Amino acid sequence: TGISTAQGKAREVWGEHRDGVVIGADTVVVSGDGAILEKPRDKDHAFEMLKGLSDGRTHTVVTGVCLCYGERERTFYTETEVLLRRVSDEMIKWYVATGEPMDKAGGYRIVFVG
């Protein structure tokens, strides 16, 4: 999923900028039970994602990358295992209310202001 979306992003730009190097990337989160989590649909979905990811099990963050240059295209991906500590419902609700989760795969990112 991450690689195909990264390819689509890179190819779209590459079509207009063939003389440069174009990098496309996309990230998905794979929960401990194997569900693929992309960006949340709404705040309730973000809450559900974060509640599920902070269940004491590890999950995997997968980032697909596509490089386009000259007439070449290269793809690869990287995986990172993440363990979130258990988080209270109140803390998850506060975080969701910031709007931060809405454009992030799995509803979070590692670095957050605050």
Side-chain angles (χ1 to χ4, degrees):
T1 303
I3 287 180
S4 62
T5 303
Q7 281 178 309
K9 291 176 178 180
R11 288 175 179 169
E12 182 177 338
V13 174
W14 192 33
E16 299 174 19
H17 302 280
R18 303 285 276 187
D19 58 338
V21 176
V22 176
I23 302 170
D26 191 61
T27 299
V28 297
V29 172
V30 182
S31 71
D33 61 5
I36 295 176
L37 306 176
E38 296 183 10
K39 296 175 185 175
R41 294 182 300 272
D42 55 34
K43 289 183 176 185
D44 290 337
H45 190 219
F47 179 87
E48 291 172 23
M49 284 182 174
L50 292 165
K51 183 75 174 171
L53 292 173
S54 66
D55 66 355
R57 295 185 295 168
T58 60
H59 60 275
T60 306
V61 177
V62 182
T63 299
V65 178
C66 179
L67 300 167
C68 297
Y69 53 98
E71 293 302 316
R72 296 183 175 157
E73 179 181 297
R74 299 287 185 255
T75 60
F76 64 92
Y77 68 93
T78 184
E79 295 183 359
T80 304
E81 296 293 318
V82 178
L83 174 63
L84 293 180
R85 68 178 175 89
R86 295 192 189 278
V87 181
S88 70
D89 287 359
E90 293 76 27
M91 180 64 80
I92 295 172
K93 288 175 186 175
W94 172 84
Y95 182 64
V96 170
T98 69
E100 182 75 13
M102 302 316 297
D103 64 345
K104 313 290 185 295
Y108 77 95
R109 67 178 177 167
I110 298 296
V111 179
F112 173 66
V113 178

